[in-house]
Amino acid sequence: MSGEKFDAIVIGAGMAGNAAAYTMASRGLKVLQLERGEYPGSKNVQGAIMYANMLEKIIPNFRDDAPLERHLVEQRFWMMDDTSHVGIQYRSDDFNESTPERYTIIRAQFDRWFSRKVREAGATVLCETTATELAQEGGKVIGVRTDRTGDVILADTVVLAEGANGLLGARAGLRQTPTSESVALAVKEIHFLPEDVIDQRFGLHGNEGCVIEAAGTISRGMAGLAFLYTNKESISLGIGCLVSDFAATCESPYELLEAFKNHPSIKHLIADSEVKEYAAHLIPEGGYKAIPALFGDGWVVVGDAAQLNNAVHREGSNLAMTSGRIAGEAIFEVKSRGGRMTKRNLALYKTMLDDSFVIKDLRKYKDMPALLHTNSRNFFMTYPKLMSEASKNFMRVDGTPKIENERATTAAFIKARSRWGLVSDAVRLALAWR
Amino acid sequence: MTVAVTKLRVEDKLFQNRYLVDQGRPHIKVRPHEHPSANLLALTRICPAKCYELNDKGQVEIAADGCMECGTCRVLCEASGDITWNYPRGGFGVLFKFG
Ligand SMILES: Cc1cc2nc3c(=O)[nH]c(=O)nc-3n(C[C@H](O)[C@H](O)[C@H](O)COP(=O)(O)OP(=O)(O)OC[C@H]3O[C@@H](n4cnc5c(N)ncnc54)[C@H](O)[C@@H]3O)c2cc1C
Ligand code: SF4
């Protein structure tokens, strides 16, 4: 590889890196992609819901051969207390369309497929290779060093797609290491069950899938969320909370996961399953305000490494794919105009990204992380308990007059949060959501 | 609060996973210390692979073999110098089959 120079080196073969490498290679650029795992996906963890629209923009006919598990027809949101849950459920036969808009996937399989497409498009992909350092000259990134050789591999641009825990950009001083308030730690297990058992337990047919997202006392007062996603022959489930909250409470993530699995609302859904893997990963949660500089002389950063992750909607892979694609398009555009990969020219990436849903969505929720994080006990302990209490009051038929039940519910809310507290929480939530 | 019904051993969980351990080249190191900082101490509870443990002298030690490379300890303890954190060499470390 010595002496060769690439149009672009892409660090990482996750969602963002594959999108960038594919976009550039399929337009004829000379691309080298480095991945530290034995195969693409071997280091990656996701829930995982994959949104079709954003992949379609990169590989329009992906449904022909991509490894997809189930397409989603039903979504449940649960507020959980220790023994019960209150939920909303949305199911529609409209999702049984010929080109469904979201699927569950298994990342280790999906990333391998995506990487094959990248290779077919003409990129050189080197696995088992960790990029160890960005080489710079006069403030401009000119290439990378790897743990294979000490030599610098040269490129006009380096695309940093190194994920939430990316070291390179931070070590080169291009962005900060995430703080414990801006990342969540998620732990996840995959439980295998026969396909027909999953169909039966969740009321599904064929390739239909169902997802459950849950908040409440399961995160023990920390800002966090649990999930359960149906795959074809397995169920992915996990829970994630802010690292700063974990550090403050010293709650152990696997005990949290175990308690979630043993919750009466969940236990029967995974009964008799065989656990085949236990995984952990960080999720960027800082939102719009945590986005670092996105480009500079000879480099751009995409996906989780750039905190492009919408924690409110549990979307990340689609933002990663989209930012990777847009970075690739911008680099191609600069190149075809005969321009150099200067900071000034690469600003095109940011302009294009600002114009996409990625930045528009993140900007919409810019105040959400701060609100949830400073109010976590109310949102994750008090309200779920109150909701459960209210529902119980509403459901129970035990001879208590309805008016008394209603008064009890109102009194419980006011006792827990005070009238002022309730109003101020509601207003602040509405403002952050706006 | 409900504690796990069955007595939980993380080792049993990690047993499901595939690892290629780079013998003799740990990718995370703890700086020698007399008394651990609060964050270092927290890692004995919050590292999802239970890599950090307290020895009988009250110091925090690491055995990184089961590490899932999540980066939690890096985010908490790298800046203060309590630990040094690197990726394992390419191809080594945890190998998720599903992820
Ligand atoms: C538990 C969990 C559940 C989630 N659920 C969802 C969901 O349902 N839907 C959704 O859209 N998003 C979800 N996300 C978020 C989603 O996974 C991420 O947003 C997405 O994977 C980011 O893609 P990326 O390419 O930026 O990073 P990654 O997918 O993390 O890829 C980074 C890649 O870079 C490689 N790498 C890093 N450093 C180097 C180096 N120095 N040299 C070589 N290679 C390197 C890594 O090995 C890795 O392959 C979830 C995340 C988690 C943890
Ligand atoms: S990276 Fe994660 S799994 Fe590995 S030692 Fe640190 S906290 Fe534990």
Side-chain angles (χ1 to χ4, degrees), chain A residues 10-18 34-37 39-51 107 111 126 129-133 161-168 184 186-188 213 227 229 238-239 280-284 302-306 308-309 313-321 323, chain B residues 87:
Chain A
V10 178
I11 310 297
M15 290 292 197
N18 284 337
L34 304 175
E35 167 55 49
R36 65 189 194 85
Y39 47 85
S42 63
K43 300 291 183 186
N44 300 342
V45 181
Q46 190 179 329
I49 301 173
M50 195 278 296
Y51 303 90
R107 275 295 292 271
D111 289 9
L126 277 188
T129 309
T130 305
T132 49
E133 197 191 324
E162 40 180 344
N165 184 31
L167 303 183
L168 280 191
V187 286
K188 175 194 165 184
E213 248 124 12
F227 63 87
Y229 298 158
I239 184 162
H281 205 277
L282 294 180
I283 307 178
V302 293
D304 275 10
L308 302 176
N309 196 304
H313 282 265
R314 319 314 295 168
E315 293 175 25
S317 64
N318 51 337
L319 281 68
M321 281 192 272
S323 58
Chain B
Y87 288 126

Side-chain angles (χ1 to χ4, degrees), chain A residues 261-280:
Chain A
K261 280 158 52 188
N262 281 307
H263 190 284
S265 299
I266 296 291
K267 200 171 178 165
H268 63 284
L269 296 173
I270 53 169
D272 305 318
S273 62
E274 190 191 348
V275 187
K276 292 208 179 162
E277 192 167 82
Y278 167 61

Side-chain angles (χ1 to χ4, degrees), chain A residues 310-372:
Chain A
N310 186 342
V312 177
H313 282 265
R314 319 314 295 168
E315 293 175 25
S317 64
N318 51 337
L319 281 68
M321 281 192 272
T322 302
S323 58
R325 169 178 65 78
I326 289 177
E329 287 172 359
I331 290 166
F332 176 74
E333 177 73 29
V334 172
K335 171 103 186 165
S336 37
R337 283 192 219 144
R340 292 192 306 124
M341 297 298 157
T342 56
K343 183 172 180 180
R344 194 158 155 210
N345 286 338
L346 287 172
L348 178 63
Y349 162 50
K350 171 114 193 331
T351 311
M352 289 165 71
L353 199 65
D354 281 346
D355 210 31
S356 72
F357 80 95
V358 174
I359 298 295
K360 286 184 180 155
D361 282 0
L362 290 175
R363 198 182 292 133
K364 174 175 189 307
Y365 294 117
K366 64 184 187 320
D367 296 323
M368 209 63 180
L371 175 67
L372 290 180

Side-chain angles (χ1 to χ4, degrees), chain A residues 384-405:
Chain A
K385 279 188 174 152
L386 288 170
M387 289 288 287
S388 158
E389 195 61 23
S391 307
K392 196 154 74 187
N393 285 344
F394 190 77
M395 306 279 180
R396 272 217 203 278
V397 178
D398 58 2
T400 316
K402 302 288 180 228
I403 186 81
E404 281 177 33
N405 276 340

Side-chain angles (χ1 to χ4, degrees), chain A residues 191-218:
Chain A
H191 287 244
F192 279 77
L193 278 168
E195 196 174 335
D196 57 319
V197 174
I198 295 177
D199 286 352
Q200 225 169 36
R201 285 183 190 174
F202 292 87
L204 304 167
H205 300 278
N207 286 332
E208 290 172 348
C210 164
V211 309
I212 301 173
E213 248 124 12
T217 64
I218 43 169

Side-chain angles (χ1 to χ4, degrees), chain A residues 28-285:
Chain A
L29 297 193
K30 190 170 165 193
V31 177
L32 172 69
Q33 189 181 28
L34 304 175
E35 167 55 49
R36 65 189 194 85
E38 183 184 52
Y39 47 85
S42 63
K43 300 291 183 186
N44 300 342
V45 181
Q46 190 179 329
I49 301 173
M50 195 278 296
Y51 303 90
N53 171 281
M54 291 78 189
L55 180 56
E56 236 162 8
K57 290 212 162 71
I58 302 163
I59 304 181
N61 57 348
F62 78 89
R63 290 184 181 84
D64 293 349
D65 56 357
L68 305 169
E69 293 288 314
R70 289 170 184 263
H71 74 268
L72 300 180
V73 297
E74 182 174 328
Q75 174 115 21
R76 305 177 193 172
F77 296 99
W78 287 1
M79 272 275 212
M80 298 176 90
D81 76 353
D82 295 354
T83 53
S84 69
H85 74 265
V86 183
I88 52 172
Q89 188 161 346
Y90 184 68
R91 184 183 174 113
S92 172
D93 197 45
D94 291 350
F95 291 126
N96 276 316
E97 57 215 320
S98 57
T99 54
E101 55 111 32
R102 62 182 73 181
Y103 298 87
T104 48
I105 56 166
I106 291 173
R107 275 295 292 271
Q109 293 163 6
F110 183 87
D111 289 9
R112 273 179 149 166
W113 166 85
F114 205 165
S115 179
R116 207 176 65 234
K117 296 286 170 192
V118 171
R119 266 174 248 235
E120 285 167 11
T124 306
V125 182
L126 277 188
C127 288
E128 300 187 293
T129 309
T130 305
T132 49
E133 197 191 324
L134 288 177
Q136 302 193 45
E137 204 175 79
K140 181 183 187 314
V141 171
I142 57 161
V144 301
R145 285 200 170 78
T146 73
D147 62 354
R148 293 245 179 162
T149 72
D151 298 344
V152 177
I153 313 174
L154 296 171
D156 288 334
T157 345
V158 174
V159 178
L160 295 163
E162 40 180 344
N165 184 31
L167 303 183
L168 280 191
R171 296 223 164 134
L174 306 180
R175 61 168 195 270
Q176 263 199 327
T177 302
T179 62
S180 60
E181 290 85 19
S182 67
V183 280
L185 163 65
V187 286
K188 175 194 165 184
E189 278 181 356
I190 187 158
H191 287 244
F192 279 77
L193 278 168
E195 196 174 335
D196 57 319
V197 174
I198 295 177
D199 286 352
Q200 225 169 36
R201 285 183 190 174
F202 292 87
L204 304 167
H205 300 278
N207 286 332
E208 290 172 348
C210 164
V211 309
I212 301 173
E213 248 124 12
T217 64
I218 43 169
S219 67
R220 300 182 184 170
M222 300 186 281
L225 201 87
F227 63 87
L228 183 159
Y229 298 158
T230 54
N231 305 317
K232 210 165 194 54
E233 297 181 303
S234 62
I235 290 175
S236 298
L237 84 172
I239 184 162
C241 301
L242 276 190
V243 169
S244 52
D245 281 355
F246 270 125
T249 59
C250 283
E251 290 283 357
S252 112
Y254 40 87
E255 282 172 19
L256 233 54
L257 181 62
E258 233 32 45
F260 178 61
K261 280 158 52 188
N262 281 307
H263 190 284
S265 299
I266 296 291
K267 200 171 178 165
H268 63 284
L269 296 173
I270 53 169
D272 305 318
S273 62
E274 190 191 348
V275 187
K276 292 208 179 162
E277 192 167 82
Y278 167 61
H281 205 277
L282 294 180
I283 307 178
E285 301 259 332

